[in-house]
């Protein structure tokens, strides 16, 4: 399962990179457990893409509008940290939104 998720994340990152999309905001999280992120290279007029995640059980974002350079699966250290901040609640794959410039 993680292999197909990893493959989809790589495809997504390629599309986002080709279109210079690196600014995001939470477009919809009212219909939980579905999360929709809107992405753009410039939010002045519109957004270019909507990325939908299903069965979201936990979300930790840096704020309302944020910059992301890539989506990837969490590493072991990040999974340990998540266990602590989510009080041990963890199911399914963990996807990280990474900003390479600011870590």
């Amino acid at each position: 399962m993680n292999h197909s998720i990893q493959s989809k994340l790589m495809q997504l990152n390629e599309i986002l990179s080709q279109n210079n999309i690196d600014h995001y905001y939470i477009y919809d999280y009212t219909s939980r457990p579905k999360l929709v992120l809107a992405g753009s290279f410039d939010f002045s007029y519109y957004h270019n893409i909507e990325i939908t995640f299903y069965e979201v059980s936990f979300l930790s974002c840096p704020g309302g509008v944020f910059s992301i350079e890539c989506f990837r699966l969490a590493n072991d250290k990040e999974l340990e940290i998540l266990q602590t901040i989510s009080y041990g609640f963890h199911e399914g794959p963990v996807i990280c939104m990474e900003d390479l410039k600011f870590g």
Side-chain angles (χ1 to χ4, degrees):
M1 176 173 86
N2 280 352
H3 179 68
S4 73
I5 293 171
Q6 181 65 29
S7 175
K8 289 191 184 293
L9 291 175
M10 288 173 57
Q11 289 173 342
L12 174 62
N13 288 332
E14 183 65 29
I15 291 167
L16 298 173
S17 176
Q18 288 173 355
N19 292 285
N20 296 319
I21 298 172
D22 62 355
H23 292 86
Y24 297 87
Y25 66 91
I26 298 172
Y27 187 69
D28 180 21
Y29 194 42
T30 59
S31 55
R32 293 181 178 131
K34 181 175 80 170
L35 166 68
V36 181
L37 298 180
S40 179
F41 65 89
D42 180 9
F43 281 131
S44 296
Y45 300 104
Y46 55 87
H47 59 266
N48 304 88
I49 193 168
E50 292 178 10
I51 304 169
T52 304
F53 296 92
Y54 295 95
E55 303 301 323
V56 174
S57 59
F58 183 82
L59 176 65
S60 177
C61 288
V65 177
F66 42 91
S67 180
I68 301 170
E69 290 186 46
C70 72
F71 292 85
R72 62 174 176 75
L73 291 173
N75 61 37
D76 290 339
K77 183 175 180 177
E78 291 162 335
L79 291 173
E80 284 180 32
I81 293 169
L82 178 63
Q83 290 286 37
T84 303
I85 64 174
S86 68
Y87 301 102
F89 183 73
H90 171 255
E91 59 182 36
V94 176
I95 297 173
C96 294
M97 302 177 288
E98 186 170 36
D99 179 356
L100 299 173
K101 290 179 191 154
F102 298 104

